[in-house]
Each structure stands twice: as C-alpha cells, then as structure tokens.
C-alpha cells in the first residue's frame, strides 16, 4: 500500500466534528470496510485536482450516509436511491460544480435503479462511485441486488437462489451499454495493486467531469466483513477468489478520448425583455384608435358546441378576447375531462360588466350549436328569452323552443363557398356579434388578425365575420 | 399595465419566471401537463433549465438538489404524481429547502380520472409524507391568482425556507381569464445556507439528526416556524360577510360557484356571505373562531369536491359552537348553482 493514501488530503476534515462523540479522528466504518479507503482516494483526487471548493458530494442512504462527516466540500444528503436525481438537480442549477454521487448497491441497484439509469442515459455531467459490497451493510446484512447466488444474508438465510431472487445485477455492464456514459470501469479494493487501479479510476472519472465530457461510473468491489461475517483478511480473499469472478474487473467502456467537452450556453436576457419573451402582449395595447362604448350591464353566458375541428374553442377564445378588449370581465372554459370524448367539444364564455362568479355555465343565455348532438344536448338548458344560433345546413331538425330567439345560419355551407370550412366559426361569431349587439364591428375586424394568428386565414376570417353579421339580421 | 387572456396553467409558468424561477423539473400528467409543456418552451428562453424527469420521484429529488443551490426551482404535477413526490417532499421539508410545487388536482383514489377534484387537501395541507411538517398551501381561484399566488409561493418559501404548494383543480388550470402580469422580480433573497460550491459554502443539506434530543429540538424549531407562518401569513377573501348570518365556504373552483350562489341568495333576501380561504396552510382558523363567536352568524355551509376534507379544519375552528353543514361532490362532478342553493336552503 502506498503511504500517500494514508495521509489526510485537504478535502478530508482533520477532525470529524459532525460525527460527534469522543473519537473525532476515526471514521464510523467497521474494520476492513472498503468505504473508508474509497473516501480517501476520492478526497485525495479532489485535493490534487484543486476542485475542493466546487465539489458537491451526495451522501446516499446506506453505510456511507455519513460521508458528509468526512468530506470538506459542499454536501447534500439524499433519500435512498435518489442521489443521481439530486445530483442532476444541483448540477443543472449550478453547472460549474463538480458532482459526485456516492452510492451503495442497495441504493443504486435496487431502490434507485430508475434514477441511476436515467441520469446515466442523459449523460449527466457527474461522477458516480458505486460501492458494491454484495450486501446491505447499514441495515444489518440483508440481501442486495448484487448478492451472489448461494450467498447467505439475513434475508436469504439458506443462500440466494436463482428461482427466488434471480441473478446478481452487473451494474457496470448495464451502464456501459447505454450510449451516453463516457467511462465505466469496475475495480476492487483488496491489495496494493488493485487499490492503485482504483485510485487511477477515481481520478480518471473525476477528470472526465472536470473536462466537461460527461457521465462516468466506477463500480468498486468493496469488503463488508461485518455483513459477510468474515475476518477482514478472509473478506479480501473471498473478493479475489469469488466476488470478482462474478463481477469481472476492468474497463467496460471508455470513449473519453473521442468525446468533446459539452458546454451548454444559456441566454441571459435582461429583465426588461421578459414580458416580450413570455409573449405577454395585450390586445388593448395594439388597438388604440377605436373609441370603445360605455359598458352595458350584461351577463352573457355563451355555450359554443360542435365537433372537434369546427373551431368552437377558438370562436370562444376570440369572443372572450374581444369582449375583454371592450373592458368587460370575461372567462373562457373549455370542455374538459370526460366531456371531451366522442369527438364533441364545447366551451363556455362568460361576459359581464361585473366580476364573474362561476365560469361554469349551467343555463346559457346564448347557445351556438354547430352540430346536431350539441343542439340536442344543450337546447333545453338555454335560459328563457335567450338565443340559439345553429348551423341550419348541418342540423336538419331545428330547435323547438318557443321561448327563445332561434337563428339558423348555414355556416358550414357558406364557409365552404368562402374557401374553407374552418371559418364557419367566424360566420357564427359575426352572427353572435350582431344578435348580442354590444361589440363594435370595427374593433372586432382589427382584433381578429391579432387573435387568430394564422395569416392564411386573415382575409377569409374578415369576410366570414362580415357575412355572419349580415346573415343574423 | 394591460391584461392578457390566458389559461391558469400558462399563467403559473409566466408567474414563476417573473418570480425569478430558473429550474423546472417535471413529469407529464393530465391535467398538469400544460404547465410542463409551457415551461419546456419558456424556461430555456429566459436562461433557465427545463428537464423532463424519469418520474415524479426523480423530479422532486431534482428539486431537492436544485433547491440546495441559490436559485429558485419548481415542479408541477397532479394528484397521483403528488402522492409519488411525498417522500421527497418530506426530505425537502426536513432539510428546510425553499421550492414551489404546483398540484392540479384530479379525481382519485388510484388512477381515478382526469376530472377536477379537491381530494388532495389532506395530503397537501396536513403534511402528507412522514414526519411532523407542514407545507405552505395556497389555493388560487382565478387565472390571475394562478400567476400571483405562484409568485407569492416563491416569496413565502424563501422567507420561511419551506416548500410551498399551489393547490388548484383542473378548472382553474384550464380556464382562461384576463391576467395582468407584474414586473419581473430582479433579486431573490440571499441564501447563506445554500451549497454554492465556493470556499465559504461548504454547507450541508441534510435531514438527519441521530440523537433524539437533537431531532426533537429540530422538530420544535420546525413547529415554531409553522406557528410563525400561522401568525403572519393567513390570507382569505370575505365577500358579504360583514352582516352575514350564514357563511358559505369553499376554495378554488368551488369558491367561484359559491360566489354566484351567494348572489342568488342575497337577491332572495337571505343574508349569506362567502368566505374563501386563500391559504389552506395556514388555515384562517382565527377568522372562523371569530365567526363562531359572532352572535349574528347562525350557520356555516362548506362545499368541496371531496368527501369532506377541508370541513374538518372548519369544524375544529368552529368547535361545535354553530352548525357546520356540508355538501360535496366527487369523481369529477361539480355542483351546479341551483344544486348548491337548494342544498344550502335545506340546512336553514
Ligand atoms: C425508503 C427507504 N427504504 C429503506 C431504507 C432502509 N435502508 C437504509 S440503508 C439500506 C440498504 C443500504 O444498502 P447499500 O446501498 O448496499 O449500502 P451499504 O450500507 O451496504 O453501504 C436500507 C434498505 C431507507 N432508509 N429508506
């Protein structure tokens, strides 16, 4: 063993004050445990690379839950298995940091499989040190996903079997088949030779991150004499003779030479530009030359219904926008949830000079029915004295209500003649504007192209709206 | 400043960005997906990051990570996703990290449906995950408040180092209304405790206290913080309550329907008032205590889109002094104005 790893690097605390108790110089790990050795190799690399002040280490759940006792860096302690997600969040917020996700085999290969696979697959700029000790150390020696077939643990008292627990998981190999990871290696903490290899792997993995090349993963076979119920000496022998036979050592993937640094540039717009970038633009700012009439005391509750594709939602959107432009209070509510099924759509628009209570319409003052199912569904709900506008070209049975004004308009047919079926809704909007009588035609004509942005329709919408106004007479 | 007609779900994202939020981590779920979609479009434009996580568990843990740094971050989900986030939220509350979570509630239990319900009240307002903690919970009832309360959620969560939830339903999210957007927040409060990756910030973000005495002290500190929040941050809206004999109570979309109900009742000469909690935690308990002690007030009428969850808090505050009646709908059904008028009248 080289003496350097026994020295305390600067990124290792001199005294483990956070640990508390009387023995401030020794770790909480058991004799023969690999965690302490790996900690020192990592700390040494952090110091040598001079990255102590931008390194953030995630302590997992497991024996290394208290890694933050030892590393004099930024520390975040994560929930069981979630370290790669926590590291992702931090790194995205602070891309200049060096992220280390330090995890055990229960943490990474059982409860946290989803998080590690996706962080690896995204190629997160982080370094993962995966301590595989083939057991759950912290909780007292239960089976891990890496426990070998036949290996006894407190939850496999007769030994792990294929039939009951399946094969031990080879995480390094699994990570290596993903496209994004840059470097994946499995090493072992036994003799001087293997520790030296581990040190090399630790440094290489960190260097890749420092160079902004992406995700690297070092699986470290590590002794757990307590969990294995072996002496430290026998533990090392077992690792050499048995564990490393199943978990083969070596580089599983290394594309670090070919990989270019990944540098993501974020724009930094000035605060003054925020509203513009967020598309916060109002109609009122754009239409300034129309003198608006005084508000009328109204509560118009407009139900617009038809097939999907007939533009009922956008007719409602246009109406609500225009009424808002006239300084009325408005709400627009699309049919939502189960109502959406079966190809019919509807929306509810309320317009009032007063604050609007419920945006839901139980009894419309105006029903715009673009197809037969909509008329059947809503005709009875219309308030006495209200208006029913319906597409008399598509609906062969006119409304039967005598206590409402019924206006039939062959909207779809007329729209076809104007050049597109899609503008039937604008004909209906014209008819609504005419029959309700509180909106200004010249305001609407200016507003429509600002509301319905598709330029191909501007001229047609204009014509359709005017036609609707005429037909509603 | 002039108004824009916009959906509640989109107002949330704009509000968040105007509040200086820089990181969004989410996972799609109806009816909250629009928030993620809108965020995916706008966050990168303003120099922030958007990331679709592998799950809600992933998303909330990314929040835990990002919130440990000194930028504002958020996630959004709907009921089943919120259930999945609970583990992470408990850690965030334990480590006292500021962040904002939007919950656009849908029908449950289980997969339920995507129609509006308010059955997440208990899992949001009462803590929800393991341990003694509370989330700040804000309940918007308009597109304007979807923006404003999202912004407020960021401020409160920073002020108290506590996660804040904007709790809405599908209708409030889907509905378009005029919204006036404020100016952007230019500086967010300093976070001296944050892990910033600098020499002076070798800080620790952690929720562990091994010694019972220490963990008890930590819990007591949390409880003291919640007491302070209760003392300073209660928000509500009272309409026609001054001379009201009957107080009608609802939050979110129900409060909008009740608004119309109260108009109808007043037109009939019934002295009804509408009381709407805007903060669900802290709950406006003192206001209910005052009503309960007011000779003028004869009864309370609560409506919720759940089996009756908020009503427990009303009853605790009223403490048996006056009748507290309840009408609920579930499964995505919404009471009509007439239904509520009739149900209410049957109680008096
Ligand atoms: C959600 C959750 N489930 C279970 C536990 C209990 N637990 C703590 S450590 C651990 C196993 C850790 O094993 P491993 O990741 O192999 O690390 P080691 O202790 O061997 O270093 C478990 C199951 C927990 N803390 N949280």
């Amino acid at each position: 063993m080289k003496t350097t790893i026994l020295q305390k690097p600067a990124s290792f605390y001199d005294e483990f004050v956070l640990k508390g108790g009387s023995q401030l110089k020794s770790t909480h790990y058991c004799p023969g445990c690999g965690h302490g050795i790996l900690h020192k190799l990592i700390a040494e690399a952090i110091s040598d690379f001079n990255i102590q002040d931008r390194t953030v280490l995630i302590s997992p759940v497991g024996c290394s839950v208290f890694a933050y006792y030892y590393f004099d860096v930024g520390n975040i302690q994560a929930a069981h298995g979630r370290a790669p997600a926590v590291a992702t969040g931090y790194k995205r917020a602070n891309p200049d940091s060096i992220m280390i996700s330090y995890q055990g085999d229960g943490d990474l290969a059982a409860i946290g499989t989803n998080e590690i696979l996706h962080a690896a697959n995204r190629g997160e700029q982080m370094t993962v040190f995966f301590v595989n000790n083939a057991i759950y150390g912290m909780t007292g020696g239960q089976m891990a996903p890496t426990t070998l077939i036949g290996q006894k643990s407190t939850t496999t008292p007769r030994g792990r079997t294929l039939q009951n627990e399946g094969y031990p998981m080879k995480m390094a190999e699994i990570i290596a088949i993903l496209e994004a990871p840059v470097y994946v290696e499995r090493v072992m903490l036994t003799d001087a030779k293997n520790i030296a290899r581990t040190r090399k792997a630790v440094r290489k993995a960190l260097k890749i991150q420092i160079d902004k090349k992406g995700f690297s993963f070092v699986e470290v076979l590590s002794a757990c004499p307590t969990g294995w119920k072996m002496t430290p000496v026998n533990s090392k022998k077992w690792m050499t003779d048995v564990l490393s036979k199943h978990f083969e050592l070596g580089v599983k993937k290394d594309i670090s030479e070919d990989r270019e640094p990944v540098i993501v540039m974020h724009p930094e717009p000035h605060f003054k530009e925020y509203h513009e970038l967020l598309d916060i633009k109002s109609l009122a700012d754009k239409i300034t030359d129309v003198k608006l009439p005084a508000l009328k005391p109204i509560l118009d509750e407009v139900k617009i219904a038809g097939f999907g594709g007939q533009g009922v939602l956008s007719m409602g959107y246009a109406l609500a926008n225009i009424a808002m432009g006239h300084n009325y209070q408005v709400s627009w509510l699309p049919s939502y949830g189960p109502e959406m099924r079966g190809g019919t759509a509807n929306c509810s628009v309320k317009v009032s000079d007063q604050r609007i209570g419920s945006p839901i319409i139980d009894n419309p003052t105006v029903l715009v029915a673009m197809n037969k199912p909509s008329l059947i569904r809503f005709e009875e709900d219309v308030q006495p004295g209200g208006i029913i506008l319906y597409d008399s070209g598509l609906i062969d049975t006119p409304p039967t209500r005598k206590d409402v004004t019924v206006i039939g308009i062959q909207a779809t047919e007329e729209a076809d003649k104007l050049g597109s079926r899609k503008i039937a809704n604008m004909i209906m909007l014209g008819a609504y504007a005419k029959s309700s009588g509180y909106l200004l035609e010249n305001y609407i004509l200016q507003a429509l192209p600002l509301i319905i942005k598709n330029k191909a329709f501007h001229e047609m919408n204009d014509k359709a709206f005017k036609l609707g106004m005429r037909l509603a007479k | 400043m002039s108004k824009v007609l916009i959906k509640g779900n989109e107002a949330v994202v704009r509000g968040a960005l105007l509040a200086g939020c820089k990181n969004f981590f989410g996972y799609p779920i109806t009816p909250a997906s629009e928030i993620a979609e809108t965020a995916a479009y706008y966050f990168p434009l303003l120099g922030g990051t958007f990331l679709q996580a592998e799950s809600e568990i992933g998303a909330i843990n990314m929040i835990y990570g990002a919130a440990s740094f000194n930028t504002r971050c958020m996630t959004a989900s709907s009921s089943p996703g919120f259930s999945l986030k609970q583990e992470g939220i408990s850690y965030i509350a334990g480590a006292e990290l500021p962040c904002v979570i939007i919950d656009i509630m849908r029908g449950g239990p289980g997969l339920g449906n995507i129609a509006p319900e308010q059955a997440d009240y208990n899992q949001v307002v009462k803590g929800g995950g393991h341990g003694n903690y509370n989330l700040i919970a804000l309940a918007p009832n308009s597109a304007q408040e979807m923006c404003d309360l999202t912004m407020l959620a960021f401020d409160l969560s920073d002020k108290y180092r506590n996660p804040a939830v904007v709790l809405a339903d599908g209708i409030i999210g889907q509905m378009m209304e005029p919204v006036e957007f404020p100016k952007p927040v230019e500086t967010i409060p300093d976070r001296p405790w944050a892990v910033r990756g600098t020499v002076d910030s070798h800080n620790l973000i952690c929720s562990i206290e091994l010694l019972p005495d220490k963990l008890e002290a930590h819990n007591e500190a949390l409880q003291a913080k919640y007491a302070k929040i209760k003392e300073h941050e209660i928000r509500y809206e009272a309409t026609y309550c001054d001379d009201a004999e009957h107080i009608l109570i609802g939050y979110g979309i129900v409060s909008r329907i009740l608004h119309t109900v109260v108009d109808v009742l007043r037109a009939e000469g019934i002295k009804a008032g509408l009381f709407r909690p805007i903060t669900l935690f802290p709950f406006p308990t003192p206001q209910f205590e005052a009503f309960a002690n007011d000779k003028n007030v004869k009864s309370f009428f609560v409506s919720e889109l759940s089996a009756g969850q908020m009503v427990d808090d009303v009853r605790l505050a009223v403490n048996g002094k006056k009748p507290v009646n309840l009408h609920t709908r579930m499964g995505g059904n919404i009471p009509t104005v007439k239904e509520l008028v009739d149900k209410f009248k049957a109680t008096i």
Side-chain angles (χ1 to χ4, degrees):
Chain A
M1 221 181 274
K2 282 191 183 176
T3 46
T4 39
I5 57 163
L6 298 174
Q7 286 175 354
K8 268 183 191 152
S11 54
F12 229 46
Y13 286 116
D14 281 338
E15 290 200 330
F16 308 135
V17 178
L18 289 168
K19 178 171 159 252
S22 55
Q23 309 224 298
L24 292 183
K25 294 245 178 209
S26 60
T27 70
H28 71 286
Y29 297 112
C30 311
C33 169
H35 278 303
I37 306 172
L38 183 60
H39 281 15
K40 284 182 192 162
L41 292 176
I42 295 170
E44 183 196 76
I46 291 171
S47 295
D48 289 354
F49 286 131
N50 204 12
I51 52 171
Q52 183 184 3
D53 294 330
R54 56 186 180 116
T55 296
V56 178
L57 184 130
I58 315 286
S59 302
V61 168
C63 283
S64 46
V65 65
F66 300 121
Y68 60 83
Y69 286 172
Y70 311 116
F71 287 92
D72 185 3
V73 296
N75 283 289
I76 302 175
Q77 197 290 315
H80 198 15
R82 317 296 176 218
V86 173
T88 297
Y90 187 89
K91 183 81 180 197
R92 296 297 180 115
N94 183 11
D96 290 332
S97 57
I98 298 295
M99 283 308 313
I100 298 175
S101 180
Y102 187 109
Q103 303 181 258
D105 44 43
D107 197 75
L108 181 137
I111 195 167
T113 328
N114 204 26
E115 284 76 12
I116 188 62
L117 279 182
H118 286 275
N121 194 53
R122 288 189 300 263
E124 293 294 340
Q125 299 271 351
M126 63 172 74
T127 305
V128 178
F129 295 116
F130 168 44
V131 176
N132 177 355
N133 58 12
I135 201 109
Y136 283 12
M138 180 75 164
T139 39
Q142 295 85 3
M143 185 196 73
T146 46
T147 295
L148 298 185
I149 299 295
Q151 189 185 334
K152 286 185 181 173
S153 73
T154 56
T155 50
T156 50
R158 285 170 285 279
R160 177 174 183 158
T161 65
L162 270 186
Q163 294 74 15
N164 206 45
E165 291 89 10
Y167 291 96
M169 280 172 84
K170 298 181 176 179
M171 288 311 295
E173 284 78 359
I174 291 173
I175 299 295
I177 61 164
L178 299 173
E179 281 165 274
V182 176
Y183 164 62
V184 182
E185 180 167 1
R186 183 182 289 117
V187 291
M188 173 164 79
L189 292 172
T190 44
D191 53 348
K193 197 178 99 212
N194 277 293
I195 290 174
R197 272 199 196 138
T198 305
R199 171 199 274 129
K200 225 178 113 207
V202 165
R203 301 171 88 88
K204 176 161 183 153
L206 280 171
K207 185 71 171 56
I208 284 168
Q209 189 183 170
I210 293 166
D211 293 344
K212 296 193 182 286
K213 287 189 173 179
F215 182 92
S216 49
F217 184 96
V218 181
E219 176 170 339
V220 184
L221 301 185
S222 169
C224 181
T226 309
W228 298 346
K229 303 193 172 32
M230 292 181 198
T231 63
V233 172
N234 285 344
S235 296
K236 286 189 178 158
K237 190 167 169 356
W238 186 73
M239 286 166 73
T240 309
D241 296 347
V242 182
L243 194 64
S244 60
K245 294 291 177 297
H246 181 82
F247 295 111
E248 283 176 36
L249 305 184
V251 176
K252 308 291 166 181
K253 180 177 185 186
D254 183 2
I255 52 168
S256 57
E257 289 297 315
D258 312 329
R259 185 59 71 84
E260 294 295 320
V262 182
I263 297 165
V264 183
M265 300 295 283
H266 294 287
E268 279 181 43
H270 192 271
F271 294 111
K272 282 186 193 137
E273 297 170 56
Y274 274 28
H275 275 223
E276 174 91 33
L277 289 167
L278 291 172
D279 294 317
I280 298 173
K281 292 170 216 154
S282 92
L283 270 188
D285 296 341
K286 291 187 189 144
I287 307 177
T288 48
D289 55 342
V290 180
K291 200 178 154 356
L292 293 167
L295 293 186
K296 291 184 180 163
I298 52 169
L299 174 55
D300 224 10
E301 306 191 37
V302 188
K303 189 79 156 179
I304 307 167
F307 291 124
Q310 281 186 307
V312 301
L313 299 188
S314 54
M315 175 183 164
Y317 175 65
L319 166 58
N321 243 312
I322 289 161
M324 178 181 77
H326 283 69
N327 294 322
Y328 285 97
Q329 308 278 336
V330 298
S331 65
W332 173 94
L333 184 66
S335 50
Y336 156 70
E339 278 186 85
M340 287 291 277
R341 310 256 156 75
T344 59
N346 74 71
C347 69
S348 302
V349 177
K350 287 202 180 186
V351 180
S352 179
D353 59 317
Q354 305 287 317
R355 180 174 164 177
I356 290 169
S358 173
I360 299 161
I361 297 180
D362 302 323
N363 298 106
T365 56
V366 179
L367 170 64
V368 179
M370 303 285 282
N371 68 1
K372 197 165 163 180
S374 305
L375 184 63
I376 293 170
R377 163 105 194 262
F378 295 114
E379 181 179 349
E380 283 314 307
D381 295 341
V382 178
Q383 290 182 24
I387 299 173
I388 298 179
L389 285 162
Y390 76 107
D391 190 324
S392 51
L394 290 186
I395 304 172
D396 49 16
T397 46
T400 52
R401 290 272 299 268
K402 295 284 170 270
D403 58 344
V404 299
T405 306
V406 173
I407 304 173
I409 299 212
Q410 300 194 329
T412 306
E413 230 174 279
E414 295 291 343
D416 279 341
K417 284 188 215 157
L418 287 176
S420 169
R421 188 161 279 223
K422 285 193 171 150
I423 57 170
N425 61 350
M426 291 297 116
I427 297 180
M428 282 301 198
L429 183 65
Y432 170 82
K434 183 75 199 172
S435 54
S436 61
Y438 66 94
L439 300 170
L440 283 186
E441 180 178 358
N442 62 345
Y443 184 93
I444 300 174
L445 289 174
Q446 276 197 53
L448 278 182
L450 299 172
I451 298 168
I452 298 178
K453 301 210 171 72
N454 188 344
K455 281 210 175 84
F457 284 94
H458 285 177
E459 224 187 286
M460 275 195 277
N461 281 340
D462 198 270
K463 284 187 192 152
F465 178 80
K466 286 176 183 159
L467 178 65
M469 290 209 63
R470 263 186 276 127
L471 293 176
K473 263 181 198 158
Chain B
M1 225 178 279
S2 43
K3 296 188 172 185
V4 185
L5 187 68
I6 198 167
K7 269 191 187 184
N9 282 341
E10 296 189 20
V12 162
V13 174
R14 286 172 175 79
L17 286 163
L18 292 173
C21 181
K22 285 279 177 244
N23 301 282
F24 188 107
F25 303 99
Y27 189 82
I29 181 168
T30 310
S33 297
E34 263 170 356
I35 299 179
E37 289 162 359
T38 309
Y41 184 80
Y42 287 108
F43 268 67
L45 286 184
L46 269 66
T49 53
F50 168 87
L51 183 60
Q52 179 168 326
E54 58 273 17
S55 68
E56 287 85 351
I57 297 175
I60 196 67
N61 282 283
M62 290 174 191
I63 291 289
Y64 181 89
S68 303
F69 185 60
N70 57 349
T71 53
R72 288 183 162 178
C73 61
M74 74 183 295
T75 182
S77 191
S78 177
S79 311
F82 199 91
S83 302
L84 215 46
K85 287 183 192 294
Q86 290 286 23
E87 178 204 49
I89 294 173
S90 171
Y91 278 71
I92 291 172
E96 298 191 82
L97 298 176
C99 67
V100 171
I101 307 162
I102 315 287
D103 180 9
I104 309 292
M105 291 179 279
R106 62 184 244 181
L111 211 45
N113 64 24
I114 59 171
E117 248 196 17
Q118 296 179 321
D120 284 5
Y121 185 92
N122 283 346
Q123 77 154 341
V124 170
V125 176
K126 305 294 176 182
H130 59 287
N132 302 299
Y133 71 89
N134 282 105
L135 308 173
I136 295 165
L138 309 174
N141 82 345
S142 64
Q144 182 70 55
E145 282 192 351
M146 286 291 262
C147 167
D148 296 350
L149 295 187
T150 299
M151 296 186 77
L152 177 66
F154 279 104
D155 286 344
L156 293 179
S157 94
D158 258 316
K159 183 171 171 189
Y160 293 100
R161 280 190 66 177
N162 204 67
V165 179
V166 176
L167 186 65
D169 50 76
I171 295 190
I172 299 299
Q174 291 295 320
M175 176 172 63
M176 280 199 186
E177 286 185 314
V179 175
E180 199 175 315
F181 288 99
K183 289 213 179 78
V185 173
E186 299 200 7
T187 41
I188 69 159
D190 191 32
R191 297 176 174 180
W193 48 266
V195 173
R196 295 189 299 279
T198 54
V199 145
D200 60 340
S201 74
H202 290 192
N203 289 325
L204 168 65
I205 299 297
C206 187
S207 59
I208 305 175
E209 285 293 359
L210 283 187
L211 301 173
D213 282 349
K214 281 201 160 180
L215 187 55
E216 187 170 54
H218 176 54
N219 266 285
E220 279 165 355
L222 288 179
Q223 293 303 316
K225 173 170 87 174
Y226 305 142
K228 220 167 113 190
I229 295 173
K230 286 183 192 170
E231 190 182 323
H232 298 293
E233 305 299 347
I234 289 174
R235 286 166 174 80
Y236 59 87
E237 186 185 356
T239 314
Y240 310 127
C241 282
D242 288 348
D243 66 340
E245 293 176 359
H246 307 283
I247 309 287
L248 283 69
I249 302 134
Y251 69 96
I253 183 59
V254 176
S255 68
R256 296 289 295 265
I257 306 171
L258 287 176
H259 192 114
T260 306
V261 169
V262 168
D263 281 340
V264 170
L265 295 173
R266 283 270 165 179
E268 292 180 20
I270 297 171
K271 286 194 172 166
L274 168 63
F275 188 88
R276 165 172 86 96
I278 293 174
T279 50
L280 298 174
F281 184 90
F283 196 71
T285 302
Q287 286 68 27
F288 281 105
E289 285 167 352
F291 285 134
N293 292 327
D294 182 341
K295 280 192 224 73
N296 207 22
V297 174
K298 293 186 181 137
S299 78
F300 298 88
F301 180 85
V302 177
S303 184
E304 298 181 60
L305 307 181
S306 74
Q309 299 189 7
M310 179 185 65
V311 71
D312 290 348
D313 283 327
V314 177
R315 288 192 170 127
L316 276 173
V318 171
N319 202 9
K321 289 179 182 163
K322 305 268 164 72
V324 177
N325 300 299
L326 174 68
H327 178 62
T328 68
R329 295 301 301 264
M330 289 177 275
N333 280 322
I334 299 179
T336 63
V337 170
K338 183 172 176 312
E339 173 183 346
L340 282 166
V341 167
D342 292 348
K343 291 285 175 187
F344 166 75
K345 281 187 186 165
T347 67
I348 58 169

